[in-house]
Each structure stands twice: as C-alpha cells, then as structure tokens.
Amino acid sequence: MRINLIVKKNWTGKVLVGFMFEGDKTPLAMPGDEGKRLSTYAAGEKFTGQLKKTSLWRGARCEGDAGEKLILAGLGKRNEFEPDRVRSAIARAMKRAEDVGAESVGVLVPDGKEVRGELADFAAAVVEGAILSSYRFDKYRTPKPDENKPVGELTLVFSNTKNLSAAMRRAVEEAVARAEAVCFSRDLANEPPSPKPPEKMAEIAAGLAKRGRIQVEVLHKAELEKLGMGGILRVGAGSHQPPCLVHFTYTPDEGRGTRDGGRGRKRTVVVIGKGITFDSGGISIKPSAGMEAMKDDMSGAGTVLGLFKWLGTVDVPVTVHGLAPFAENMPGGGAQKPGDVIRHYNGKTAEVISTDAEGRHLLADCLAYGSTLKPDLMIDMATLTGACVVALGDEFSALLGNDQRTIDRLIAIGNEQGEFFWQLPLPDRYKSHLKSKVADLKHIGKPGVAGTIVAGLFLQEFVGEGVPWVHVDIAGPSFTKEDWDYTPAGATGVPLRTIAALLRKGI
Ligand code: BES
Ligand code: ZN
Ligand code: ZN
C-alpha cells in the first residue's frame, strides 16, 4: 500500500474517511460548512459514532461531485478512547472502501486537541490498521472477478502544515515498517509447509542481513552437532530436511545503547522463536483432522524474522540477538522415539515421552545458548501447547517467567497494541511432574494437567542462573480461523508489535 501525507487544501481524491466520537455531531477535523453538511447527513443516517459502526455517504445526497464518497468510522465514547480503536475503525472503513471499489483512500487526521494522546500515535494507528487489515495471502489463488481488491493507496490528510511535521512523517514511516514486518511474518506462517523447510527459512533469514547493523549467522546441521545441540538435532532427525539454527545480531549505533548501571555496557536482549516448519507429531503422530494448521508451528521463529526485518529500519537502544531454530517434526526412519533421551546444549538430558512435545527441545537448546550471551532479558515465543488454547482461547498468549517487571510491561504494552497476554504461574510445587528415572528430566508432565505451566517449568531448567526470562506461549493467537478487526483469518503476526514496542522503549 502506498502511503502519502498531505494538507487538506491539496486533497483532490474521491473517497475520504473521517472518524467520529459517539455523541459528536460532526466528524473530527471537519469544522465549518463541510462539518454542518455532514452533521445533517449523520443525523439523517442515525450515525452517532458508535464503536464498530461505519457509515458510507455516496455523495449524491450532498452538493458537489456525485462521485465523491465519504466514509464515517465510529470511535465510540471519547473518554474511553485508546489508539487500538483507531486500528479497528480504519479497518472497517477500508472494508467499506473496498466494497465501493476504491483504489485510493484519503483519511482525515484530527487536530491534536481533538484526541487524547499524541497525534502521531493516532496517525500511526491509522496506517497500521489500514495495512494490517488489507493483508492478503493470495500467492496460490486465482482471484475471482467479483472479489474485492485491497485499496492500493492511502493518503493521510492533515488540517494544517503544523500537524504535518517531520516528527509526524517519521512516526508514519515507522508505522509502515512495523506493519510490513507483521505482514512479512504472516506470509512466512501462511506459507504451506513443503516450500519452507528449515534451510529455506535460513535462506530467507540470511536475506535480512544489513551491513553494520544486522548480522546473520546460520548454524547448519554439522555445526549443531559440534555444539551439542541435541534438542534441535533429534527433533529434526525424522525428516529428510536437515534442521538449522539462525542467529541474528542487531548492534545499535554507537552511543545509542543504554548503559547498564555500573557495568558500563549496552543492554542485551535475546529473542527466541520456535521454528517447527511442520509439526506432524513425529512418531507420536497427530490425528490427521486439523493437522494442516501445524504449518504455523514456526510462527515464533517467523516473529523473530519479522522483528529483524523491522530492526533493519529503526534504531533501538539495545543489542538484540535473535535465535530461530528450525526443524521439521516428521516420523521418518531416523526419527526420535518415545523413550529416547535427548542431551541438550547445556548438558541436561530429557526423557522423551511424546515426540509431539518437540518444541521445548529446540527452545531448551536456544535458552541455554542464549544464556551464554549474558543477556539482560531473554524472551522466547512459541506455539508450544494445545493446553494454552484450552486455558486462554485464541486471543490471549500466556506469559510465564522469572522477570515480573517485563511480564507486567508486556501486558500493558500488549493492551495498547491490541495483542493480549495473561500470566500463568511457574510454581516450584509442580516441578515434581518432570521427574524421570532415566534422565535429568522428563520432558512432559501428567496428561491433561497444567500442560502450559509444566512446559514453562521444563524451559526454566535451561535458563542460565540469574538471566531474566519470559516465555510467551502463542499457541492460541498465532493463527485465527475468523477475521479479527484488522487481522484477516490466517497467521496473525502476534506478538511482533508488542515485542517491537518493548525493544523500541528499551528495557
Ligand atoms: N505445536 C503443538 C502445540 C499446538 C497445538 C499449537 C495446537 C497450536 C495449536 C505442540 O508441539 C504439541 O503438539 N504439543 C502437545 C504437547 C503434549 C504432547 C504434551 C500438545 O499440546 O498436545
Ligand atoms: Zn508437537
Ligand atoms: Zn509443535
């Protein structure tokens, strides 16, 4: 989607979107005669700016050009306003614009005093909501002639030049980069499983390198063997497609890193994502019904790739390492078997009960490896447990970990971003569930008992002493069967925007 910024007097387009608070008589940024005409129209339509409501004015009812259309999008009550409502409202307006075949749409950006918070945040939310809601995964489809086409161009229309500042342009550019990173990670997870084996994912990752900023190192099978990454290797052993590990490093510009107290070095974050390019369950094979959904079992790693695409465009004040382990979980002749013992990177062994509980072994290697980088924060994201979907449904990710401050921040930032998180405990009392007679640990607990929590306790065993760590189980929100406000059905890109906002703010 092309994005332009102009002032109102230069607007010559045909389809314009305006926002309206519930109870107001005119849309925002619409004073004077235009506003009066519209208030009459809105009253006639009984459009009162309610949340989730839109109204399309086809222009024929007003003076002027009959080809002109105006779409009003409700923001709900002014005192309940939050920027995420803008993303949802513009998404609905874009649908209406598609319905009337608009190729290009203008959006009236309110004046600063009309909305709570920063105007730049409002404009950024417009752009994000528009790009995210217009996303399609259609590379394998032939479009039908009567199908709506996404709008190709969005113009932000400002009431005056003061509002269209350099800072505003920067905020909008950042929003575009953020939304495009989400679309990129959605593309990766929506891609069918066979065209995206581990080495192909590594190739895509290598393409994100940027000189002086982002380094990408791919550890192939032989290197994983040398390092002793038994988790990634054994899970990948049932497939003809060898596993691998991508290690990204983002280095902030000199002077931009925040100093870490007396230690005098830049803060370091490690972000890890589960990258199972297809989860058949392996020898503990899954039931075939619904197995196609397991192409998205790499969405944690897809989020890591999306984050590094985004980091290629923006300055953040921390060093960021990204670890994306890739493997295909298949029941081939070399596959790991229930009863096997896996030795992980830090030497800890785990008894395998179900080869379908594979993700935790990739994460275990990476958490141990990530800990050697002495991070100030380590976050892992994984479509880890079906139990998480049972507990929290498909809109909430679970947070577990030892860093309460970061957990609280993720919940708060997530609410701003429209990505939802809920904390689960990591009680020592349940550690007994992981006792094994043949290895240091059993890799799962009792069937049907606190699956998400026990998986978290397993991961904790691989986090280095004193490393602040948060595990994000995205089994629910990584993929949606229905359209959400500005998220079409399919891979969602959750929780990229929340993690990006956390990195942007610094830790
Ligand atoms: N990838 C799945 C978890 C999953 C299930 C994600 C549904 C999204 C939707 C994971 O590898 C898995 O199969 N976990 C098992 C663990 C069990 C064997 C302890 C599960 O949740 O059933
Ligand atoms: Zn599995
Ligand atoms: Zn899995």
Side-chain angles (χ1 to χ4, degrees):
M1 186 180 283
R2 276 189 316 282
I3 308 286
N4 315 309
L5 289 79
I6 62 166
V7 285
K8 200 161 160 200
K9 64 176 179 0
N10 296 335
W11 165 253
T12 56
K14 293 279 182 218
V15 182
L16 192 60
V17 173
F19 295 100
M20 199 161 136
F21 280 117
E22 190 169 343
D24 282 7
K25 291 211 163 46
T26 52
L28 301 173
M30 276 254 183
D33 285 352
E34 233 171 339
K36 259 186 227 140
R37 277 197 290 147
L38 276 166
S39 61
T40 320
Y41 161 73
E45 285 293 293
K46 301 209 170 44
F47 180 75
T48 56
Q50 303 104 310
L51 193 61
K52 306 200 173 187
K53 290 270 166 45
T54 56
S55 171
L56 173 71
W57 183 21
R58 287 177 189 275
R61 293 193 192 185
C62 72
E63 309 140 44
D65 187 342
E68 200 179 299
K69 295 179 182 68
L70 193 121
I71 297 166
L72 299 181
L75 289 175
K77 298 205 170 70
R78 183 181 252 105
N79 61 359
E80 290 171 1
F81 177 72
E82 51 188 18
D84 199 46
R85 290 193 169 183
V86 178
R87 296 189 194 94
S88 302
I90 187 73
R92 286 192 164 78
M94 294 302 275
K95 280 256 137 53
R96 299 294 297 261
E98 282 176 17
D99 289 343
V100 296
E103 283 163 16
S104 171
V105 163
V107 181
L108 280 172
V109 179
D111 267 332
K113 50 189 179 311
E114 290 182 298
V115 287
R116 205 159 66 191
E118 294 287 325
L119 191 58
D121 291 343
F122 192 102
V126 168
V127 169
E128 256 184 355
I131 297 177
L132 293 174
S133 63
S134 305
Y135 172 82
R136 307 275 199 284
F137 183 73
D138 52 11
K139 65 191 266 207
Y140 296 105
R141 287 182 71 241
T142 316
K144 299 197 181 70
D146 59 344
E147 222 169 83
N148 280 357
K149 284 187 203 47
V151 174
E153 185 178 36
L154 183 88
T155 302
L156 295 179
V157 182
F158 291 87
S159 20
N160 56 51
T161 43
K162 194 177 120 276
N163 288 351
L164 212 180
S165 60
M168 176 61 81
R169 286 187 190 279
R170 258 197 317 278
V172 169
E173 264 166 39
E174 276 201 31
V176 172
R178 225 162 30 231
E180 284 179 348
V182 172
C183 294
F184 169 70
S185 89
R186 286 178 182 173
D187 273 345
L188 296 175
N190 279 325
E191 183 69 19
S194 291
K196 59 172 176 191
E199 287 287 348
K200 173 71 193 177
M201 292 301 300
E203 216 178 275
I204 296 170
L208 300 172
K210 264 206 167 169
R211 204 144 44 94
R213 240 182 132 81
I214 292 175
Q215 228 182 303
V216 186
E217 184 190 9
V218 180
L219 305 170
H220 300 280
K221 191 174 161 214
E223 284 139 314
L224 297 178
E225 276 161 3
K226 262 187 235 135
L227 286 168
M229 298 232 175
I232 303 173
L233 286 164
R234 292 308 295 144
V235 168
S239 169
H240 293 298
Q241 302 285 356
C244 59
L245 169 62
V246 179
H247 180 175
F248 295 94
T249 311
Y250 165 90
T251 316
D253 282 351
E254 247 345 280
R256 282 197 54 81
T258 44
R259 299 273 158 185
D260 181 14
R263 281 195 279 168
R265 66 176 183 89
K266 281 171 185 156
R267 286 181 185 256
T268 297
V269 183
V270 176
V271 210
I272 302 169
K274 171 178 171 182
I276 295 292
T277 60
F278 185 69
D279 183 9
S280 72
I283 294 296
S284 315
I285 200 157
K286 285 182 180 292
S288 55
M291 205 199 272
E292 68 281 359
M294 285 298 123
K295 68 174 185 180
D296 96 317
D297 213 18
M298 41 54 70
S299 40
T303 301
V304 172
L305 266 63
L307 281 169
F308 278 84
K309 182 182 166 68
W310 169 74
L311 284 168
T313 69
V314 71
D315 286 330
V316 302
V318 283
T319 298
V320 189
H321 291 276
L323 297 175
F326 289 106
E328 198 180 55
N329 188 22
M330 295 289 279
Q336 55 153 337
K337 303 157 190 78
D340 273 353
V341 172
I342 294 181
R343 184 178 297 277
H344 295 88
Y345 179 71
N346 66 351
K348 272 198 190 170
T349 58
E351 181 187 2
V352 173
I353 306 299
S354 165
T355 63
D356 195 12
E358 81 297 338
R360 58 199 73 195
H361 298 292
L362 309 194
L363 297 175
D365 278 346
C366 289
L367 289 166
Y369 185 73
S371 298
T372 67
L373 302 167
K374 302 263 169 290
D376 302 283
L377 173 63
M378 188 154 66
I379 300 181
D380 77 78
M381 302 167 290
T383 45
L384 203 64
T385 61
C388 193
V389 192
V390 174
L392 299 180
D394 64 355
E395 295 212 41
F396 277 77
S397 302
L399 297 176
L400 301 95
N402 59 21
D403 181 355
Q404 194 57 45
R405 179 174 169 265
T406 300
I407 289 174
D408 292 341
R409 288 187 73 202
L410 286 172
I411 293 171
I413 296 173
N415 285 334
E416 288 166 14
Q417 298 294 336
E419 296 183 333
F420 306 108
F421 301 89
W422 197 254
Q423 185 176 8
L424 294 179
L426 268 182
D428 282 350
R429 311 175 71 86
Y430 289 177
K431 280 187 177 169
S432 59
H433 298 206
L434 293 170
K435 278 206 178 116
S436 165
K437 294 209 163 57
V438 298
D440 298 332
L441 290 162
K442 204 164 64 155
H443 78 155
I444 55 178
K446 309 168 193 177
V449 180
T452 306
I453 293 173
V454 175
L457 287 168
F458 178 84
L459 298 179
Q460 190 173 35
E461 295 293 323
F462 299 87
V463 176
E465 190 68 31
V467 175
W469 158 71
V470 180
H471 161 56
V472 191
D473 194 328
I474 55 172
S478 67
F479 204 88
T480 173
K481 289 203 177 99
E482 295 129 36
D483 291 345
W484 293 339
D485 289 349
Y486 48 90
T487 306
T492 62
V494 173
L496 192 153
R497 288 180 300 114
T498 300
I499 307 293
L502 179 83
L503 294 176
R504 188 80 174 84
K505 289 178 203 243
I507 57 157

